[in-house]
Amino acid sequence: MLAGLYIHIPFCVNKCPYCDFFSITDTSLHSAFLDALITEMQFIRHEGLQFDTLYIGGGTPSVLDVKSIDRIIESVHRSYPIDTEPEITVEVNPDTVTLEQLKGYQRAGINRINIGIQSFHSNNLRFLKRSHSVSDIHQAITWAAKTGFEKLGLDLIYGIPGQTKTSWLSDLQQAVASEPQHISCYMLTFEPGTPLGKGRLKGHVVPMTDENICDLYETARTFLADRGYIQYEISNFAYAHAIESQPLNPAHNQSRHNLKYWSFAPYIGLGPSAHSFIEPKRFWNHLSVEKYMVDLTKGRLPIEGIETLNQEQMMMEAIYLGLRQTKGIPIDVFNNMFNQNFHAMFKDTIEDLEEKGLVTCSQSHCALTPKGMLLLDSIVAMFI
Ligand code: SF4
């Protein structure tokens, strides 16, 4: 099976209060980090894997200049066997990108660009303390279109306190009007330890009610489906269109890289906090950029932890990852992988969830219903 390569760029212009991805704002470390990352590529074994996706995420990769991104991609090609037609994605933020930069990314081989716009409304951007403005968003989208990337993805956030259905619909409308191939709609979460999570605990921020969140989610699903965006994962929608006289292909615009995470494909993560999975092992790097760099300068891999998943953990992972996708858990694959009978094993749980209208199970797949999609974690817990 072809593998994915993820590179975590741990820098951001400022720290958004809801974010629990690892990043720092100290720009003085860019160059030393880059040297460490290149060293890590030389150190880490690829276990005979062949890669067909590269995802440069973060953090905010676009805080690095074109030369740095170019250096990273060149080094990836030198260090790993890369398929002939790889999907190469870079995440950018609207205020840290220029037309010249985008052109440079394209020359470097990037064919998919993902812009973290979050909302087209300045009151929402202010609440999220994003460093960009609405006009930065329009400018970045115009530049991306002008550069002519094969694939454009836009990220939106819903469930922001004060957000109305009308303003959410307007976000969706403006996103669709930009004709991206991919749209992600992420629910705002109040992660423990983040300023937003702490604000909630202190009563400074009041989250949207579950009922309103469900309404916005349903609004997105219906609106996007009506405009040709097929949902393939809880938060992800890909535009389905016929390509050069071939039949309609809903999979064409899906994120090939993210699909690897949800289908047990092997992936290697480089950079601070990055995770890797090569069945049955999971391993992850130090969070601290300093620790990461010190290890590499001393000739050690910057690995913080390693875990070998047992059969039961693998099964739970298969259920969790399968249920995230709209097609659900492929029962044959599950049965063959674990030498089990899924239907017999989870008979009572399935009956209970079906009765509550949270899952649908056929002979071939077991999937969440739209109602079940917002309850993924508690539904997975019922399989344990
Ligand atoms: S820009 Fe993205 S990665 Fe950086 S703090 Fe904000 S949400 Fe997190």
Side-chain angles (χ1 to χ4, degrees):
M1 193 187 289
L2 288 162
L5 187 63
Y6 172 76
I7 294 180
H8 189 81
I9 307 296
F11 303 108
C12 285
V13 171
N14 68 334
K15 203 64 205 156
C16 307
Y18 59 91
C19 176
D20 72 340
F21 289 117
F22 176 72
S23 67
I24 56 171
T25 51
D26 182 356
T27 52
S28 68
L29 294 174
H30 283 189
S31 150
F33 161 74
L34 213 62
D35 290 343
L37 178 67
I38 305 297
T39 308
E40 189 186 11
M41 285 185 207
Q42 289 153 7
F43 280 2
I44 200 152
R45 292 183 319 209
H46 49 77
E47 316 270 356
L49 298 169
Q50 170 91 12
F51 297 82
D52 72 333
T53 66
L54 165 63
Y55 195 104
I56 305 177
T60 309
S62 51
V63 298
L64 297 183
D65 58 19
V66 174
K67 258 195 184 158
S68 307
I69 296 285
D70 216 9
R71 191 174 160 211
I72 291 172
I73 295 179
E74 255 181 43
S75 201
V76 163
H77 280 284
R78 265 202 312 275
S79 314
Y80 298 97
I82 306 290
D83 197 51
T84 46
E85 287 185 26
E87 174 191 89
I88 306 185
T89 307
V90 67
E91 283 178 351
V92 306
N93 275 357
D95 58 330
T96 52
V97 81
T98 63
L99 179 58
E100 281 317 305
Q101 212 171 334
L102 290 170
K103 285 181 179 166
Y105 288 171
Q106 197 182 42
R107 280 195 300 274
I110 287 162
N111 48 26
R112 188 171 181 275
I113 186 146
N114 206 71
I115 313 182
I117 60 173
Q118 322 312 355
S119 174
F120 287 92
H121 292 87
S122 37
N123 58 331
N124 291 335
L125 296 179
R126 266 197 306 277
F127 179 89
L128 298 172
K129 294 201 169 39
R130 297 291 299 185
S131 54
H132 64 261
S133 65
V134 175
S135 63
D136 291 334
I137 295 176
H138 291 298
Q139 185 69 92
I141 292 174
T142 306
W143 284 338
K146 200 167 173 182
T147 311
F149 284 98
E150 210 179 297
K151 307 264 173 75
L152 168 66
L154 300 179
D155 290 351
L156 294 172
I157 293 185
Y158 66 96
I160 304 166
Q163 187 178 32
T164 61
K165 189 165 168 175
T166 312
S167 89
W168 176 232
L169 264 172
S170 147
D171 276 342
L172 292 165
Q173 257 151 5
Q174 293 188 66
V176 168
S178 315
E179 300 183 351
Q181 283 74 23
H182 195 274
I183 297 179
S184 302
C185 298
Y186 295 112
M187 180 172 75
L188 181 68
T189 54
F190 294 73
E191 300 300 331
T194 60
L196 199 61
K198 289 179 191 161
R200 178 194 194 168
L201 284 181
K202 289 183 186 152
H204 298 161
V205 194
V206 181
M208 192 177 271
T209 62
D210 288 350
E211 199 184 324
N212 286 344
I213 286 177
C214 288
D215 189 27
L216 295 190
Y217 185 57
E218 210 33 55
T219 301
R221 286 174 23 85
T222 313
F223 181 89
L224 293 174
D226 287 348
R227 281 142 190 92
Y229 288 84
I230 310 294
Q231 185 178 22
Y232 65 104
E233 196 264 351
I234 289 180
S235 310
N236 289 290
F237 302 79
Y239 187 62
H241 61 97
I243 318 150
E244 292 167 10
S245 75
Q246 290 167 18
L248 189 78
N249 180 0
H252 179 67
N253 288 323
Q254 294 175 0
S255 162
R256 279 162 55 192
H257 184 80
N258 285 342
L259 279 170
K260 293 192 186 295
Y261 298 142
W262 307 321
S263 54
F264 262 118
Y267 54 85
I268 285 181
L270 306 172
S273 80
H275 281 61
S276 305
F277 175 72
I278 300 173
E279 189 189 333
K281 282 199 171 83
R282 228 196 319 241
F283 47 99
W284 55 95
N285 282 350
H286 299 304
L287 221 67
S288 149
V289 181
E290 280 86 357
K291 231 173 166 182
Y292 168 85
M293 294 193 306
V294 166
D295 266 4
L296 284 160
T297 42
K298 291 196 170 159
R300 294 191 296 253
L301 278 175
I303 292 180
E304 166 95 28
I306 184 159
E307 174 182 40
T308 303
L309 301 185
N310 60 30
Q311 164 105 345
E312 206 175 304
Q313 288 169 312
M314 289 282 286
M315 250 188 236
M316 282 308 117
E317 195 75 0
I319 290 170
Y320 175 73
L321 298 174
L323 288 178
R324 289 185 67 138
Q325 301 178 70
T326 49
K327 66 178 184 202
I329 303 160
I331 311 276
D332 273 358
V333 175
F334 183 96
N335 289 348
N336 291 335
M337 196 166 175
F338 302 111
N339 199 20
Q340 292 284 350
N341 181 327
F342 181 84
H343 285 286
M345 199 173 174
F346 299 111
K347 186 172 173 291
D348 294 343
T349 308
I350 294 168
E351 274 174 13
D352 186 20
L353 289 168
E354 280 185 326
E355 215 167 282
K356 291 178 175 138
L358 298 174
V359 305
T360 51
C361 261
S362 66
Q363 273 314 305
S364 67
H365 284 85
C366 183
L368 293 178
T369 60
K371 188 175 158 194
M373 278 183 183
L374 288 173
L375 300 169
L376 172 71
D377 289 343
S378 37
I379 292 173
V380 172
M382 291 173 71
F383 282 87
I384 294 170

